[in-house]
Amino acid sequence: MALAVKNWTAVVVSVVAVIVADVYIFTSSLSFSTKAIIFRAHFIFGIQVVLFFLSRYVWRRLGGIFDSHSEQLEKVKDDATTTARGLSRSGPLGVRTPCTVVWRIILFVYLICCHVSYLTNLYFIGTEPAFISMVTYICLGSFVHLITGMLIMGILGCIGRLLQLKRYNANSRRRLRTLAAMMYALSISFYGLYTAHKLPTVKHVRVPVKDLPPSLEGFRIVQLSDIHLGPTVGRSKVKDVVEITNQLQPDIVVLTGDLVDGSVDRLHKAAEPLQQLQTTFGKFYVTGNHEYYTGDVDNWMRYVETLGFTALDNANAKISHQWAPAEQICIAGTNDIDAERIGYKNHRMNLDQALAMCNPKYPTILLAHQPKAAKLALSSKHRVDLVLSGHTHGGQMFPLIIGAYLINPFFAGLYKYGPSSHVYVSMGTVYWGIPMRVFTTREISEIILTRM
């Protein structure tokens, strides 16, 4: 009982510390470069707190799974004091064997890899992913699946107890559930790795647009989103994306945020292949929340322009054919909705500025990284016919899919809003951090505009 109280006290203190740090970061008058450092330290601390308690749980459940058990030791489980002491030392009561010692060393190294995964964002970012980054993030992904498997098996165990299924003794049932969770984690991790390293799927989406000029019927927009150049994504994946995109022969390419998870100095060579994207009318870019987390947003906006992109900093551009210059669509873009919350200089989502001078007689296509921003734009006074967003990754992998679905007004795919407006949310062209995708796919979206 005392141990449980201490654990919950530690959890509460850690959560309060994270909240206080969050408030301090976003309300202080510190320079943004300082805020960015504090924000990263705060984020790392939050992750480590969560991982600590989950790792402790895993260690207690898995540390003694290969112990040699006996009937005599099983009887000791009724002694609360002895049980607590046994669990605190080595998980389930049992006799340690050489196999157990080796297993605990492996488990310890595995848990350490999970803990250091995010630290590779600070020290191992370059043109291509470092080996240590890939290994630690794979461990972190499998850890998520392991916890999920243990939760599923725990639920099944509760159902079994309710149905009074007692084919095996309690320790045997516990061991079987733990082994089943480990098998689940291994199998789903391999599946996630395979899916994430496949080439992106091209999704062809036809969107009816009101007042679309005849000269722009069939206008093709290729949307790239959430590439996340960083510890596990590098230049080679960008080259694959560029090759597939060029085969589509797009009229324009739009990059809807979260291009990077690091500074221009470290990642400019990784992003360089984007210069080879070929379009008829141009390439357009808006920021995502992760660009702001790098603390290097302005440099990235300048750099993508050297790659041939137009950075839409709450701005817009008109597109029309030479033979029909009066018939146009307006391509607008906003800074990420989190820019103001983070406090990055004068950056914020400014719809009035982004849509200024867009002719309301003709369609407006808005680039806004987060679906929450899309909802704000569509419910505003401005004419917005189509919003292209990303951010959600479709949840990237189970069970994170559930959270992404619940907290975003638009989750993934095409949505109709009101009588004639639409939102398209990309699942992301690559992935963030963990190189796994489970029940989601990498995608390159080809948006084809048709007359309504």
Side-chain angles (χ1 to χ4, degrees):
M1 182 64 181
L3 184 62
V5 171
K6 288 181 180 179
N7 286 341
W8 280 109
T9 301
V11 170
V12 171
V13 170
S14 300
V15 169
V16 170
V18 169
I19 293 173
V20 170
D22 195 55
V23 172
Y24 174 72
I25 292 170
F26 297 124
T27 59
S28 67
S29 58
L30 297 171
S31 67
F32 186 76
S33 58
T34 303
K35 283 185 177 182
I37 295 172
I38 297 174
F39 177 82
R40 285 197 170 192
H42 162 234
F43 188 73
I44 291 171
F45 174 75
I47 288 177
Q48 296 305 317
V49 168
V50 173
L51 285 177
F52 173 77
F53 289 106
L54 292 177
S55 297
R56 192 164 179 268
Y57 173 73
V58 168
W59 178 264
R60 292 174 65 182
R61 289 294 301 272
L62 269 63
I65 194 171
F66 296 117
D67 286 358
S68 176
H69 288 74
S70 69
E71 293 298 323
Q72 182 178 3
L73 285 170
E74 286 181 14
K75 293 178 182 179
V76 184
K77 65 182 180 180
D78 292 329
D79 186 334
T81 303
T82 307
T83 301
R85 187 181 300 117
L87 287 173
S88 65
R89 284 199 310 265
S90 59
L93 287 170
V95 178
R96 296 183 182 181
T97 64
C99 180
T100 299
V101 174
V102 173
W103 166 245
R104 286 179 178 164
I105 293 172
I106 293 171
L107 182 60
F108 179 78
V109 172
Y110 169 76
L111 293 175
I112 290 297
C113 285
C114 294
H115 279 267
V116 303
S117 56
Y118 188 78
L119 294 175
T120 64
N121 288 47
L122 306 179
Y123 302 107
F124 296 96
I125 289 181
T127 304
E128 293 291 355
F131 177 76
I132 188 173
S133 300
M134 294 299 294
V135 169
T136 56
Y137 267 103
I138 288 171
C139 288
L140 181 62
S142 64
F143 184 79
V144 173
H145 299 313
L146 177 61
I147 294 296
T148 303
M150 295 174 79
L151 177 62
I152 292 171
M153 293 304 131
I155 293 171
L156 292 178
C158 290
I159 293 173
R161 285 193 294 272
L162 289 173
L163 298 177
Q164 297 183 340
L165 300 177
K166 297 182 179 179
R167 185 175 177 182
Y168 304 102
N169 63 52
N171 280 341
S172 296
R173 290 199 302 271
R174 186 186 304 112
R175 178 179 286 192
L176 285 173
R177 289 197 302 269
T178 304
L179 288 172
M182 293 170 65
M183 291 303 298
Y184 168 85
L186 280 173
S187 58
I188 211 75
S189 295
F190 279 116
Y191 168 74
L193 284 167
Y194 168 75
T195 304
H197 286 85
K198 288 171 60 179
L199 291 175
T201 299
V202 177
K203 294 189 177 179
H204 307 277
V205 184
R206 302 183 74 85
V207 181
V209 177
K210 184 180 179 181
D211 302 324
L212 183 69
S215 61
L216 296 172
E217 172 72 27
F219 191 84
R220 285 170 297 121
I221 304 171
V222 170
Q223 179 189 6
L224 309 177
S225 189
D226 300 277
I227 292 176
H228 286 287
L229 286 169
T232 59
V233 179
R235 182 185 177 98
S236 58
K237 280 191 166 49
V238 177
K239 290 176 67 176
D240 291 338
V241 168
V242 169
E243 183 178 341
I244 295 170
T245 301
N246 285 341
Q247 290 173 0
L248 297 173
Q249 299 181 332
D251 289 309
I252 65 171
V253 169
V254 299
L255 181 50
T256 52
D258 280 7
L259 169 62
V260 292
D261 283 303
S263 67
V264 172
D265 288 342
R266 292 189 175 189
L267 292 172
H268 66 279
K269 288 185 178 179
E272 207 170 42
L274 293 171
Q275 189 171 20
Q276 305 305 317
L277 286 168
Q278 300 171 6
T279 70
T280 304
F281 295 98
K283 302 179 287 189
F284 301 91
Y285 164 82
V286 293
T287 56
N289 54 311
H290 280 247
E291 276 87 349
Y292 290 97
Y293 298 159
T294 69
D296 204 26
V297 181
D298 289 329
N299 286 333
W300 274 114
M301 294 183 80
R302 285 190 289 268
Y303 182 69
V304 296
E305 292 197 330
T306 69
L307 302 179
F309 282 81
T310 299
L312 295 174
D313 182 8
N314 291 318
N316 61 72
K318 315 299 190 303
I319 293 177
S320 62
H321 281 289
Q322 290 181 348
W323 63 83
E327 297 180 352
Q328 60 184 230
I329 57 175
C330 185
I331 304 295
T334 68
N335 292 333
D336 185 69
I337 194 171
D338 277 352
E340 187 172 10
R341 180 179 68 88
I342 292 172
Y344 188 85
K345 299 181 180 178
N346 60 344
H347 285 234
R348 64 188 181 93
M349 178 183 175
N350 189 331
L351 276 176
D352 292 337
Q353 181 179 329
L355 299 174
M357 306 305 291
C358 284
N359 191 333
K361 293 182 179 179
Y362 293 107
T364 296
I365 314 298
L366 178 67
L367 313 181
H369 176 65
Q370 297 195 41
K372 292 177 182 178
K375 183 70 178 291
L376 288 175
L378 291 169
S379 58
S380 72
K381 63 182 180 181
H382 299 282
R383 172 175 181 172
V384 179
D385 297 271
L386 171 63
V387 184
L388 298 178
S389 298
H391 184 65
T392 70
H393 296 221
Q396 188 161 320
M397 62 185 194
F398 182 79
L400 306 181
I401 293 172
I402 300 171
Y405 178 81
L406 292 175
I407 66 176
N408 288 286
F410 308 106
F411 173 59
L414 184 65
Y415 296 83
K416 186 174 182 181
Y417 189 92
S420 59
S421 296
H422 292 81
V423 181
Y424 186 80
V425 182
S426 168
M427 282 192 180
T429 305
V430 191
Y431 48 75
W432 176 72
I434 297 171
M436 297 179 187
R437 276 191 173 268
V438 178
F439 308 138
T440 65
T441 58
R442 296 171 56 191
E443 73 167 81
I444 294 173
S445 317
E446 184 184 44
I447 312 297
I448 303 169
L449 307 184
T450 62
R451 300 184 71 192
M452 182 176 286

